[in-house]
Structure formats: C-alpha cells, structure tokens
C-alpha cells in the first residue's frame, strides 16, 4: 500500500463545513480515510462529497466539548482546524475578543488533543494529530493580538505534545498556512491595498487554495510522515522565505 494512503483510518476534522477544514476532509476522503466532519453547524455539504463520511456537531466555544468524543469512537487522525479571528487595534482590543479567540483556537485545541491522546493511549493504539497553526505562530501580525497569541500557543503545544507522545505512537505536527482564500481572509482580499501588498510578497504570486493545505494534512497524517514529530510546516507559497 502507498505510504501516503489513509485507507483503514478514521479521521476527525474540526470546522469541516467550509474553507481549509472542508478541503482537508475532502483530501482525507480521497486518500481513503473514513471521515468524521465536525462543525458547530451542519457539515452536510462536505459529508455529501465523501463516501461513507458522517457528521458530528461540536461547538468548540466550549473548549471541553470534545471530552467524550474519542472514548467509544476509535479515531486515528485528529485535525484541529476550527478557528476564529477578531481584528482591532491593540489599544482598543476587548476582553471578550481575547477570550473568545483563545478558547476556540488554543484551549479547545489542547483539550481536544488531550481527549484524543488519552483514548489512543488507553487502547494502546497509534494516531496522528495535525493542528492548524498560522504564519502568526511565527510572526506578529497586526491588529490581531488574540489570534497571534493563540497561534503561537498552538505551535508551542504541538511541540510539547510531540515531546510527550512521539515515543508512544502518536505523531503531533502542525501546518502553518500562508494566505489562503477563505471566509477568514475575505476582508483582506476585498481590501485592494492589502491584497496588492500581500500578493507582492508571495513568491508563488497567488493566494493559496484550501486544497494546498488539504494535501499537506494528508501527508502529515500518513505513514509517510511517521518520523515527523513536532514540526510546524509552513505552506505559504514561499512567504516566510522572503
Ligand atoms: N485562511 C487563511 O489564510 C489561514 C491562514 C492561517 C491559518 N488559518 C487557520 O485555518 C483554520 C481554518 O480557517 P479558514 O481560513 O478555513 O476559515 P473559515 O472559512 O472561517 O473556517 C473556520 C472554521 O472554523 C469553524 N469554527 C469557528 N468557530 C467554531 C466553534 N466554536 N466550534 C466549531 N467550529 C468552529 C468555522 O465554522 P463556521 O463556518 O460555523 O463559522 C469554520 O468551519 C483556522 O484555524 C485558521 O486560523 C487560516
């Protein structure tokens, strides 16, 4: 079997109704995985495009929402993709814009990893986690303080969990997407000046497509990546190389 195949594996993707999460779910399905599409709203559109897929309503505004998801449902691959962003000047940033983003983007990611890791370790199995980080796991950004803090945190806990679980059969890695055209970046694309400045800095000369991330997630979840632990893999059209 190809080392890039996910046949026989079950993958759960959070935020699978749209954008990067939808592309990851579709790519995992193409690679042969059974896919569980998790979202705070229905993922029917995604489920309808993947043979044998099912959906799970999971609102990660409650960071502990996934605590019981993995105990009786053997999942091999967890993709923590769901995320939100709030934009405002640092001097005007509100506590709720801080807390809401940290809850979904960081606290939920850690406790979902914990629930997944516990289940794998309890059954003596193996598994893979792919967290969706960001360029703002590595750079400061502007007007997105809670997002930057959360994504730096995602990079940190990815490495921490890799250190704890690499020898126990669980691969933990992250993808740092560059500028990908989704709902999350629609405001930037609409802003002509920002859009031009962004494009000028991307060596590939284009915005990323959600599918660029989908195929990378398949790779990190596959046997081909078995010796990759704690990596933050940037998929950014060359942005960080500049
Ligand atoms: N687009 C980029 O350029 C870019 C770059 C770097 C990193 N990322 C990261 O990539 C991930 C996906 O973002 P995207 O660009 O695909 O944006 P998106 O289209 O806005 O998708 C975000 C996903 O997260 C889900 N979500 C938000 N809050 C949730 C909650 N409380 N519970 C469960 N699901 C929730 C959304 O569900 P709803 O549709 O119901 O809101 C949606 O499915 C995020 O972690 C984002 O930070 C994106």
């Amino acid at each position: 079997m190809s080392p890039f195949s996910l046949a026989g594996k079950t993958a759960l993707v959070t935020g699978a109704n749209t954008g990067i999460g939808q592309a990851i779910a579709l790519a995992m399905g193409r690679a042969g995985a059974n896919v569980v599409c998790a979202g705070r709203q229905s993922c029917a559109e995604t489920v309808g495009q993947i043979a044998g897929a099912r959906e799970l309503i999971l609102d990660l505004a409650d960071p502990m929402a996934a605590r019981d998801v993995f105990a009786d449902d053997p999942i091999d691959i967890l993709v923590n993709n769901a995320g939100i962003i709030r934009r405002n000047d640092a001097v005007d940033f509100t506590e709720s814009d801080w807390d809401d983003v940290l809850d979904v983007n960081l606290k939920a990611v850690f406790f979902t990893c914990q629930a997944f890791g516990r289940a794998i370790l309890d059954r003596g199995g193996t598994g893979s986690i792919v967290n969706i980080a960001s360029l703002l796991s590595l750079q400061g950004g502007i007007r997105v303080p809670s997002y930057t803090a959360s994504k730096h945190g995602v990079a940190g806990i990815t490495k921490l969990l890799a250190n704890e679980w690499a020898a126990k059969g669980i691969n933990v890695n992250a993808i740092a997407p560059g500028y990908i055209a989704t709902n999350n970046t629609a405001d930037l694309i609409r802003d002509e000046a920002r859009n031009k400045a962004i494009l000028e800095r991307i060596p590939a000369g284009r915005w990323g497509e959600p599918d660029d991330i989908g195929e990378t997630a398949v790779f990190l979840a596959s046997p081909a990546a078995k010796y990759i632990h704690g990596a933050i893999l940037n998929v950014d059209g060359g942005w960080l190389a500049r």
Side-chain angles (χ1 to χ4, degrees), residues 30 83 216:
R30 286 194 298 273
T216 309

Side-chain angles (χ1 to χ4, degrees), residues 14-22 38-41 58-62 80-85 104-105 132-136 147 151 175-185 207 210:
T14 69
N17 58 303
T18 185
I20 291 172
Q22 182 176 54
R40 64 177 161 179
Q41 56 174 307
L58 201 57
D59 185 349
L60 296 161
D62 170 7
N80 284 305
N81 162 79
I84 57 174
I85 193 163
V104 175
N105 291 15
I132 302 305
S134 168
L135 292 178
L136 299 191
Y147 186 83
K151 293 296 185 178
I175 297 171
Y179 285 85
I180 313 295
T182 67
N183 298 335
N184 176 299
T185 47
W207 280 73

Side-chain angles (χ1 to χ4, degrees), residues 84-161:
I84 57 174
I85 193 163
R86 301 275 167 81
R87 293 189 171 88
N88 207 345
D89 294 340
V91 285
D92 295 324
F93 213 75
T94 65
E95 187 177 5
S96 63
D97 280 346
W98 181 272
D99 288 343
D100 292 352
V101 171
L102 266 292
D103 276 356
V104 175
N105 291 15
L106 182 59
K107 189 170 175 183
V109 170
F110 175 75
F111 284 102
T112 304
C113 287
Q114 182 192 64
F116 175 79
R118 274 185 184 153
I120 300 264
L121 298 174
D122 282 354
R123 67 174 195 259
T126 59
S128 297
I129 295 175
V130 180
N131 291 326
I132 302 305
S134 168
L135 292 178
L136 299 191
S137 298
L138 305 153
Q139 299 183 298
I142 185 162
R143 304 186 73 246
V144 286
S146 58
Y147 186 83
T148 299
S150 71
K151 293 296 185 178
H152 272 66
V154 167
I157 61 168
T158 297
K159 293 178 224 177
L160 170 128
L161 292 171

